[in-house]
Amino acid sequence: MSEPSSGPHAIDFWSPVHFDELDPNGHLHNARFALHVERAQTAAFAAAGFDTATVLNRHPDLHYVVRRFDVLFHSPVGNTGNLLVALHFTELGRTSATWTFRCGPPGAPNATGTRTIVKVDADGRPLPWSPRMPEWRTNLLAG
């Protein structure tokens, strides 16, 4: 997996790591990385103007499920504080979107990976994205 770099095409988010997220060794528990990537993606949606504060009446593009979450661990996060999560919107399909992520500093990540979401209807069937999603991705790629 390639490592996302910070820059005009990246969305950087500082995610707070709390004491209760640490495992018995004092490291951020491996399962918690998914939560920090989710927080970063939610912040990215909010920064793009999507209302992430409510579940009712959300924009249809925010009705999605996680299809796949792949993570490669490089080094432990051994303390509380803020964890840098860098996201890149790498692929947009008809119903799916894939993001690459890096947790930790550029050049010395704690974890890297991908997260793929699929837009769904109320019955869980895939739906095409609205025009807003490709416009947002185009704007991100343009810097």
Side-chain angles (χ1 to χ4, degrees):
M1 288 178 221
S2 63
E3 176 187 334
S5 61
S6 295
H9 307 310
I11 298 166
D12 290 339
F13 178 74
W14 291 95
S15 187
V17 174
H18 302 282
F19 175 78
D20 62 353
E21 296 181 285
L22 304 180
D23 67 15
N25 295 317
H27 302 143
L28 179 62
H29 190 280
N30 68 83
R32 300 300 286 185
F33 282 86
L35 174 70
H36 290 278
V37 173
E38 174 79 24
R39 288 178 184 167
Q41 190 167 29
T42 299
F45 280 125
F50 289 93
D51 180 4
T52 60
T54 181
V55 174
L56 298 175
N57 301 318
R58 291 184 106 171
H59 189 279
D61 286 346
L62 294 186
H63 293 271
Y64 62 83
V65 294
V66 176
R67 167 113 167 70
R68 186 172 185 155
F69 183 79
D70 293 309
V71 61
L72 178 62
F73 298 103
H74 302 279
S75 64
V77 173
N79 55 3
T80 60
N82 289 318
L83 175 66
L84 176 60
V85 180
L87 296 174
H88 283 266
F89 196 161
T90 55
E91 295 178 36
L92 183 65
R94 191 177 73 80
T95 63
S96 66
T98 299
W99 300 74
T100 58
F101 65 85
R102 181 196 73 243
C103 297
N110 303 101
T112 55
T114 60
R115 183 173 192 262
T116 300
I117 60 174
V118 176
K119 180 181 173 182
V120 294
D121 65 14
D123 295 322
R125 291 186 302 261
L127 282 177
W129 297 111
S130 75
R132 187 168 179 184
M133 193 63 76
E135 289 169 8
W136 179 32
R137 183 167 186 262
T138 298
N139 290 337
L140 284 173
L141 293 176

